[in-house]
Amino acid sequence: MGKNEIRLRRQNMSAGRIARHRNYGALLERHERDRKIKLYMKVFTYFLLAAFLIILFIIISRWEKKYAPDQDQKKTTSVENVLRYEAHANNSTTYNR
């Protein structure tokens, strides 16, 4: 071997290595089929993830709508209580005069 020669094949070709490549067409078909299955699984996984996120968003938005009026009603009640207190305070001061 020369000084600058690069060895690409470190292993010698054996009967087992040759046998793996004899039916290259079938090997290539299997590889393509496996690649398609992986692609379909990836697309299916992303679809499920997107569907889950959309459903979660819908549930949260409905939950917020369900409890949001109660909070608004409590705020209104607080304002009404303040107005009633002020009205009561005004009425009681008029009676004291």
Side-chain angles (χ1 to χ4, degrees):
M1 189 175 352
K3 183 178 179 182
N4 296 326
E5 187 176 339
I6 298 172
R7 292 186 74 189
L8 296 177
R9 292 187 182 147
R10 296 194 179 260
Q11 299 173 351
N12 291 332
M13 292 300 285
S14 64
R17 288 190 70 191
I18 292 171
R20 286 193 315 191
H21 298 285
R22 277 193 187 137
N23 197 358
Y24 184 73
L27 182 66
L28 188 61
E29 285 177 18
R30 193 171 93 195
H31 173 70
E32 289 295 323
R33 186 181 70 228
D34 289 346
R35 205 178 90 200
K36 285 181 182 179
I37 289 173
K38 285 182 183 179
L39 177 67
Y40 294 150
M41 289 300 293
K42 189 181 287 187
V43 169
F44 182 69
T45 303
Y46 285 134
F47 175 75
L48 283 179
L49 182 64
F52 175 74
L53 290 175
I54 290 170
I55 290 171
L56 186 65
F57 177 75
I58 291 170
I59 290 171
I60 290 173
S61 63
R62 286 188 179 189
W63 181 74
E64 286 178 348
K65 286 180 185 177
K66 182 178 180 182
Y67 290 107
D70 293 341
Q71 292 174 354
D72 291 340
Q73 190 175 24
K74 287 180 183 176
K75 288 179 184 176
T76 305
T77 306
S78 299
V79 171
E80 288 174 354
N81 288 339
V82 169
L83 293 175
R84 285 181 188 157
Y85 176 77
E86 288 177 355
H88 179 70
N90 289 338
N91 289 337
S92 61
T93 55
T94 55
Y95 293 122
N96 291 337
R97 287 186 197 177

